Each structure stands twice: as C-alpha cells, then as structure tokens.
Amino acid sequence: MILATLIIAGSLLMILYTIASKGMQSLTWDIISKVPEGGYYIGKGGGILNAIIGSLYISIGATVLGLVISIPVVLYVNIYAKRNSWLANITRLTFDVLFGIPSIVYGAFGFTIMVYFGLRASLLAGIITVTLLVIPILARAIDEVIRLAPTELSDATYALGATRWETSLIFLRQAIPGIITAILLSFGRAIGDAATVLFTAGYTDSIPTSLGQPTATLPLAIFFQLSSPIEEVQNRAYAAALILTFIVLIISLSAKYFSKKLSKHKI
Amino acid sequence: MTFESPHIRVKDLNVHIGGNHILKNINIDIPDKKLTSFIGPSGCGKTTLLKTFNRLLDRNKDVQIDGQVLVDGENIYGKDIEVTSMRQKMGLLSQRPFPLPMSIYDNIAYGPRLHGTTKKKELDVLVEHYLTATGLWDEVKDRLNGSAARLSIGQQQRLCLARGLAVEPEIILGDEPTSALDPISTQKIEELFLQLKDKYTLVLVTHILRQARRLSDYIAFLYMGEIIEFGPTEDILLRPKEKLTQEYVKGYIS
C-alpha cells in the first residue's frame, strides 16, 4: 500500500517535473499574452493566448450548458420520478454507458452532426461536442450526491407542504459540495480533452469573436507544437502544458474553497 | 370503537407494497384533540399506517393503496385533493430529526415562507414564538444564523417540531419521535406532546409501552397489518380483551 501510494505521488511529481523543467524556459509573458505571429510554429515570436482563451471559452461554455441539462435530469430521476421507476433506471444506465464512451467517439459524432447541419468547425460546434462529453460526468456525479441525501429529508419538506420543485431546491442545497466537485471534474475533463475538439472546434491563430468562428485549444496547441521538429517549439508545447495544468490547479483549489464555504449548513 | 366526529377516519384501508399485503382492512377513527398511539411489534405496519395519513407512501412505485382516509370528512385519496395543502395540515416528526440544510432561523421560517409570509418582522415573531413553544429559544437565541446541523440531536428534534408547528397544522404525526434521543431529550419531547394535546390532534407510533401509557388517551394495537384492538389507554393496557393484545402487553410477543 505504501508502495502504491509512492507510485501515485511519484508519478504526479514526475509529470510536474517534466513539464516544468522543459516548459519553464519557454514560459514567458509573451506566451500567455500574445497570439501567434507569422512563423510562430517554426520558432518565431508570439504566444498561445488564442488557445488559452479558446480552451476557457469551450470548457466554461460546455460546463454551463452541461449543468443546465444535467441538473434537471438528475432532479427528475431523484425527485419527480417514483423511486426505482424504469425510466429513472434506464436514464442512470444511459449515463453509465455514455460515461464510458471514449472522447474520440464524441468527436466523430459531433463531426457528423456538424456536417449534417452544415456547420463549420467552430466554437459553437466545439462547445456542443464537449457538452455531450461532460453531461454524463456531471449527471453521474450530481446524481451520486443527491442520492446520498436522506429520503427523510424529502418526507420533511413534503410534510411542510412543499411542492416537488421546492423539495428539489432543498436537495440541490444539500448537494452543493457535490455539485461543485462535479463542476470541477467536468471542467478539468473539458479543458484537457483533445479528441472532441479535434474535428469540431478547428484551429486558428486568432481569438474567436463569435460562436461561428473556429478556435484554438490548449490540448491541440500542445499536440501541434510537440509534433514540430524544432526544439524551441517543442519546449513551448511543454509551456502550454504547464499553463493547462496551472489552470486546472486553480480551478481545483477554488472549488475546494467554495465547497467548504457553501456547505456549512449541510446536514 | 367509533367517534361521532373523528378528525381522521380510516375506512377499509388496504395497502400492498411490492405484492405484500402490509395493511389489511384498517378501519379506525382518530379522535379530535386527543393523543392516539399505535403500538405493536416492529413490522406490524404502524409506521405505514401513519404515512398513509399524509400520503408520503404514494411516492414509491410499487405501492397500492385502496380504501379511504377521511380528514375532516374529506377523502385525502380523492381525485381533486390538493396534496400539498393537505400535507400542510399534518406536522410530521420522524424517527431521527432531519433539519433542513440551512440556519436555525431559516428552518423555522421555511414553511411560513412557502406559504406566503415573507416580511422579515412577521417571520421574526413566528421564529421566536415557535422556538419558545418548543423550549429552544433560550438555548439558540444567540445563534439563530448558525447551522441547524450543529445542534444536539435532541435539540434538532425539537427544532423539527417547531418547524412543523410553524405551518400551523391541525394534526401532528409522530413516528417513534424519541427512538433516537437520550432520556432527557425524550422527556422534553414527551412534555411537549402533553402540552400540544389541547390544541392539536396527535398520532404517535411507538414501541415503548410505558411511553404510550404516559402520553396517550387512546391506543390501537396492530399485529401483522391488522388492528387487533382499539380503545382507551387503560382498557388496552390493563384490561385487554383480545388474547394477542394481552400477550403483547405482558411482553410475550414483541
């Protein structure tokens, strides 16, 4: 057990060490504040602000859209549907299956839909596809915490004359820490996933100004730069990885902070 | 045993849960502004019977309820009954207290807010009134904004009672409300029940015979989903007519 713990901790440190040692030298203010200049990919000036902003747009958009869809589903399954009804069970099974589908399949599926509707690779198509990817993550995580809330809690609210909707609000309140964890999981997955955005979001050197424009993303920025033969460009890929890790780290820490703050009334 | 104008009248009630016949041909009158206890061994259906009174059972998929429960003469299983306002007439105290995930103040204010009282001043008055009524005010007045989850379990149960009273019910249902509490908290809840008898109709499920004796005016003895005997407390506990009741009261079956 100690060995296993050491392996886990060790590999985290190894990853951080690798990207830090290779990326630090290229991590300049230019990298995070500028879009690529002409010839950036053969070592000329500029940065990856386009990918940072693009990734934030996509993961925030997808997480928000995913919440808007998964919270009502979870409330339906837990509070509106009768306990153990077949529709609730099928919904849960569906989420389990969707959860296991590799992201490249979502990418391909998103691509098909895009083609069908005549959409170009764009921010919108990227957000929609990543939303499909994060819905099962969000729904399963939130379902888990709402199911953990005692059923007597709903007996209590119903006995006070609350409707199902008012009862739902109490359950959401009880589940806030879990919902924040779900958001964190989903955001981390959304910002780090390359396969879903590969076909759907496209890649561009400018920051998108509308949903219809294509956008760069950090995972793809890492991929394209790492495949370059030029060492300077490869190091910039590690710098991009460092930025990606840093964003996820900030999200994790702030999620922890808020979940503690918002859960003081949890029973 | 029947009453002229019972608060709750149960007529030919049958409940099946997942194919099991849990309650069989229940007919009982619950008198107004008295405390009626349901006693019986565990699994005899007393909690199920209690939960049919505010329709908390319907939420399960495989529950089938036949028969009538009349509250103030109105069948609560009738077609055009409004379940939420019907439930509001009944306070519920469960085996373990479940405060809502919010502050002490908001726990009491929750019900009144649902039903249209939103002015801070009115709510302040209500919160103080019901916390005083359940003997909690002096204990919590300095931390009304603190979390209800931090209270001791006995205080939580009294908070739940205060929360239930704040929606002005006519009936209070207690499902073994002291089974998770220490003796002192139990005593406090029992005292409250005795005080409440003047204003409310109380129905109590208990498996503690001494508690039933201390508190109730009437006792119904249930066994295997049937009401074996129903009558005034003294009759049931001291002069039971049925053999099963005698055996239960003497402690041969439990």
Side-chain angles (χ1 to χ4, degrees):
Chain A
M1 265 192 291
I2 293 172
L3 184 69
T5 315
L6 285 179
I7 290 175
I8 297 280
S11 40
L12 175 65
L13 286 177
M14 283 288 281
I15 291 172
L16 288 178
Y17 175 74
T18 314
I19 57 173
S21 66
K22 293 199 179 176
M24 261 325 211
Q25 48 182 313
S26 299
L27 188 64
T28 57
W29 182 241
D30 274 8
I31 285 274
I32 49 178
S33 66
K34 283 187 179 162
V35 297
E37 289 168 10
Y40 173 78
Y41 298 99
I42 49 169
K44 295 225 173 104
I48 50 162
L49 183 66
N50 58 331
I52 298 175
I53 300 287
S55 268
L56 287 176
Y57 278 169
I58 286 197
S59 31
I60 292 172
T63 305
V64 170
L65 204 57
L67 276 175
V68 169
I69 296 169
S70 48
I71 285 184
V73 175
V74 172
L75 289 180
Y76 176 78
V77 167
N78 281 289
I79 298 186
Y80 283 73
K82 295 202 170 188
R83 275 172 218 153
N84 286 323
S85 75
W86 64 270
L87 191 57
N89 288 337
I90 286 186
T91 312
R92 288 203 171 102
L93 181 69
T94 310
F95 282 133
D96 286 351
V97 175
L98 286 176
F99 185 78
I101 291 179
S103 56
I104 187 76
V105 178
Y106 284 105
F109 178 66
F111 185 67
T112 331
I113 292 184
M114 246 170 60
V115 171
Y116 183 78
F117 286 106
L119 276 171
R120 285 190 311 145
S122 60
L123 184 56
L124 180 67
I127 288 179
I128 291 174
T129 314
V130 178
T131 304
L132 293 177
L133 174 78
V134 298
I135 282 176
I137 302 173
L138 285 166
R140 274 176 46 128
I142 299 173
D143 182 42
E144 208 84 345
V145 285
I146 291 203
R147 260 206 287 185
L148 274 184
T151 49
E152 287 90 343
L153 194 59
S154 60
D155 285 359
T157 55
Y158 286 132
L160 294 169
T163 58
R164 287 196 281 195
W165 170 240
E166 286 152 351
T167 301
S168 303
L169 294 179
I170 292 291
F171 271 75
L172 285 181
R173 214 166 157 148
Q174 169 78 3
I176 283 174
I179 293 175
I180 289 175
T181 314
I183 292 174
L184 159 73
L185 276 174
S186 132
F187 187 89
R189 187 77 196 276
I191 204 167
D193 199 76
T196 36
V197 288
L198 186 60
F199 308 123
T200 53
Y203 200 86
T204 165
D205 282 352
S206 53
I207 298 169
T209 51
S210 79
L211 283 170
Q213 288 176 4
T215 180
T217 46
L218 278 171
L220 292 186
I222 297 172
F223 175 70
F224 289 139
Q225 295 180 93
L226 208 54
S227 24
S228 157
I230 303 158
E231 207 194 336
E232 162 69 12
V233 179
Q234 281 183 10
N235 283 340
R236 282 178 185 168
Y238 285 103
L242 203 56
I243 295 169
L244 184 57
T245 315
F246 191 64
I247 294 176
V248 173
L249 192 70
I250 289 180
I251 298 287
S252 308
L253 292 179
S254 50
K256 249 201 174 120
Y257 173 77
F258 283 115
S259 108
K260 220 173 228 166
K261 235 185 152 183
L262 291 171
S263 63
K264 68 170 182 163
H265 288 313
K266 187 173 181 283
I267 59 159
Chain B
M1 190 177 171
T2 52
F3 295 87
E4 252 178 45
S5 55
H7 205 157
I8 304 174
R9 169 168 281 170
V10 182
K11 272 162 103 177
D12 304 323
L13 183 76
N14 279 282
V15 175
H16 291 80
I17 300 179
N20 296 322
H21 203 170
I22 303 294
L23 291 177
K24 300 164 191 163
N25 294 319
I26 302 288
N27 282 287
I28 189 173
D29 283 358
I30 310 285
D32 194 16
K33 298 206 174 43
K34 298 281 181 209
L35 197 153
T36 307
S37 290
F38 296 160
I39 60 169
S42 29
C44 69
K46 48 194 195 307
T47 297
T48 310
L49 179 57
L50 192 79
K51 285 192 170 175
T52 58
F53 293 173
N54 62 354
R55 293 192 58 171
L56 279 179
L57 273 187
D58 320 16
R59 296 183 51 237
N60 293 306
K61 184 188 59 169
D62 38 13
V63 172
Q64 193 201 335
I65 300 166
D66 304 299
Q68 292 187 331
V69 175
L70 302 150
V71 177
D72 296 322
E74 193 182 13
N75 181 15
I76 61 166
Y77 288 94
K79 275 213 175 81
D80 26 57
I81 197 90
E82 216 186 292
V83 181
T84 46
S85 55
M86 180 277 294
R87 283 195 185 123
Q88 199 190 326
K89 281 190 190 172
M90 318 237 185
L92 174 77
L93 219 48
S94 51
Q95 294 189 2
R96 276 187 51 215
F98 283 94
L100 304 174
M102 43 180 83
S103 70
I104 294 170
Y105 183 98
D106 289 336
N107 258 278
I108 309 291
Y110 180 77
R113 275 188 187 132
L114 285 185
H115 306 300
T117 311
T118 46
K119 286 206 187 88
K120 175 93 171 69
K121 268 191 186 150
E122 292 172 31
L123 287 173
D124 286 349
V125 174
L126 285 178
V127 169
E128 179 169 353
H129 175 77
Y130 288 107
L131 285 175
T132 312
T134 49
L136 265 178
W137 178 251
D138 288 329
E139 293 164 47
V140 301
K141 64 181 173 197
D142 301 322
R143 44 173 173 154
L144 289 175
N145 290 318
S147 174
R150 299 268 154 71
L151 296 172
S152 78
I153 195 158
Q155 288 173 321
Q156 285 184 12
Q157 191 63 302
R158 281 185 285 151
L159 181 77
C160 290
L161 183 57
R163 178 183 72 190
L165 294 178
V167 296
E168 297 173 354
E170 296 164 10
I171 299 165
I172 295 168
L173 309 173
D175 180 10
E176 301 188 21
T178 61
S179 60
L181 307 186
D182 57 276
I184 293 170
S185 304
T186 301
Q187 202 190 344
K188 282 183 180 160
I189 293 279
E190 287 189 3
E191 281 164 10
L192 284 169
F193 269 53
L194 288 173
Q195 289 168 24
L196 293 171
K197 268 204 301 198
D198 302 336
K199 288 193 208 147
Y200 303 90
T201 300
L202 287 102
V203 188
L204 183 68
V205 165
T206 181
H207 60 263
I208 311 165
L209 282 177
R210 277 166 298 167
Q211 184 175 57
R213 182 165 189 179
R214 283 193 293 268
L215 301 178
S216 17
D217 302 301
Y218 297 93
I219 292 182
F221 171 62
L222 276 84
Y223 190 75
M224 305 281 274
E226 284 176 272
I227 292 183
I228 305 296
E229 199 169 348
F230 177 48
T233 301
E234 299 278 296
D235 288 0
I236 298 291
L237 295 180
L238 302 178
R239 297 176 291 277
K241 293 190 191 84
E242 302 290 328
K243 194 163 169 285
L244 273 170
T245 320
Q246 288 166 12
E247 285 177 357
Y248 182 74
V249 170
K250 285 182 184 155
Y252 293 140
I253 48 175
S254 62

